[in-house]
């Protein structure tokens, strides 16, 4: 399942990376096209400026000494017609209303020039060169100056519109890249969280019997007679009938125990019932600050000596089980490392110790957890606080 999730993550990552790369290429093309369009418009405006200058020169040729007025009239007509065509095209393709208004003003100035040019041609034909010169160097010059000023404003508006378009494209590109990165982070987070959910939910500090996410609800509880007048409510969650029978027989013998010298044999049987690699019954000392190993099974004397005592406020499942008075489990650190189950020994006066079980599997089985709770409920009747790491005394049945 973990490998499948990693495969899905890899596929999603590749898809998002491919989409992001495609979007980047598209935005690059869009930016390139916008820059090329802006450069083309700028070149056309520069050509119009040159035509305006040529138009003024052609108009002056009407009255220049030694020049053929008819030739310059033809040049002026050609230039004026080209100006009107270019300005009309730029106006129709203007990026906004502001730019379009500047082009319309330039067109109006060219139209005014054409009107002045008609009167100038008539004066030249009538050989009234003084009046023609007045129109050429005063009125027509003013018209071409208005056209040039409108074109300058149009050029500025074109540049502002181009910059705004480039900014919008860059912002969209940045937003798309940010969304892609955010999506990858979310996918990675979900994959990691899914891997954690897949692991055993009964890790350090997890309560025994708590159902995993998505697991079916536990079956209804029932009373199990364990002998000696004791009864424990259990849930049949993966607990075999044979395991329940062995636990019931063990608890019945614990309830009838009259000699503490029989406790080691009972502890050995408890280890078999729980299929444990090792088992330790911890008893709290009279100060209430330490847990002492009272009874053990499955460990050498050297290991038992190394165990020593545990602080009640220690950072381990045994101390946590005692403090919380709730069962705890811990999975092994490695693939072959054993897991652990710690069940508090709770009495009417409080917690007197902890039953700690080292399981054969890395993840404690639900059957082991359930049986450990059953067995611990009976061990709590024979364990009492101790003053030294010695075997505990048997509680008086008169109590």
């Amino acid at each position: 399942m973990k490998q499948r999730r990693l495969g899905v993550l890899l596929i999603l990552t590749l898809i998002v990376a491919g989409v992001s790369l495609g979007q980047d290429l598209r935005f690059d093309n869009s930016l390139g096209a916008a820059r090329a369009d802006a450069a083309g418009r700028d070149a056309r405006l520069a050509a119009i400026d040159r035509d305006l200058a040529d138009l003024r020169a052609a108009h002056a040729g009407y009255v220049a000494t030694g020049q053929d007025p008819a030739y310059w009239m033809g040049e002026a007509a050609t230039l004026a017609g080209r100006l009107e065509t270019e300005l009309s095209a730029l106006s129709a393709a203007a990026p906004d209303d502001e730019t379009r208004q500047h082009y319309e003003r330039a067109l109006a100035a060219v139209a005014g020039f054409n009107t002045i040019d008609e009167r100038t041609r008539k004066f030249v034909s009538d050989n009234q060169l003084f009046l023609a010169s007045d129109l050429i160097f005063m009125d027509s010059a003013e018209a071409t100056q208005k056209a040039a000023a409108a074109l300058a404003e149009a050029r500025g508006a074109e540049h502002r519109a181009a910059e705004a378009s480039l900014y919008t494209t860059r912002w969209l590109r940045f937003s798309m890249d940010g969304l892609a990165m955010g999506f990858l982070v979310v996918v990675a987070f979900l994959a990691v969280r899914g891997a954690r959910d897949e692991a055993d939910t009964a890790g350090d500090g997890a309560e025994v019997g708590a159902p995993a996410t998505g697991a079916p609800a536990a079956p209804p509880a029932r009373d199990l007679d364990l002998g000696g007048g004791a009864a424990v409510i259990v849930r049949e969650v993966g607990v075999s009938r044979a395991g329940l029978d062995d636990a019931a027989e063990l608890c019945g013998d614990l309830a009838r125990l009259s000699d503490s010298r029989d406790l080691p044999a009972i502890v050995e049987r408890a280890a078999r019932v729980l299929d444990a690699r090792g088992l330790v019954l911890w008893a709290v000392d009279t100060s209430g600050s330490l847990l002492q190993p009272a009874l053990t099974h499955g460990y050498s004397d050297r290991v038992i000596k190394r165990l020593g005592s545990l602080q009640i406020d220690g950072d381990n499942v045994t101390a946590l089980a005692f403090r919380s008075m709730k069962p705890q489990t811990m999975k092994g650190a490695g693939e072959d490392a054993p897991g652990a189950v710690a069940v508090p020994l709770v009495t009417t006066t409080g917690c007197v110790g902890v039953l700690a079980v080292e399981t054969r599997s890395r993840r404690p089985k639900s059957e082991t957890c359930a049986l450990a709770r059953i067995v611990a409920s009976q061990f709590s009747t024979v364990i009492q606080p101790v003053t030294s790491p010695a075997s505990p005394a048997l509680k008086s049945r008169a109590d």
Side-chain angles (χ1 to χ4, degrees), residues 9 107 152 169 194 214 250 266 271 278 291 320 370:
L9 174 60
L107 274 170
T169 303
L250 174 66
I266 294 292
L291 289 171
L320 180 59

Side-chain angles (χ1 to χ4, degrees), residues 60-127:
Y62 291 6
V63 293
T65 303
Q67 297 294 323
D68 181 9
Y71 170 79
W72 291 113
M73 288 179 183
E75 287 293 316
T78 301
L79 290 169
R82 190 159 65 201
L83 283 171
E84 288 183 334
T85 301
E86 282 294 312
L87 290 173
S88 297
L90 287 172
S91 176
D96 51 45
D97 290 339
E98 178 190 0
T99 308
R100 185 175 295 106
Q101 289 176 1
H102 294 316
Y103 286 129
E104 294 296 334
R105 285 173 50 207
L107 274 170
V110 172
F113 173 86
N114 288 334
T115 301
I116 295 171
D117 184 57
E118 290 179 0
R119 294 172 57 197
T120 303
R121 289 168 183 252
K122 184 176 180 182
F123 285 142
V124 170
S125 297
D126 294 342
N127 203 27

Side-chain angles (χ1 to χ4, degrees), residues 214-234:
R222 67 178 180 84
D223 291 342
L224 174 65
D225 187 1
L226 301 178
V232 179
I233 298 178
V234 299

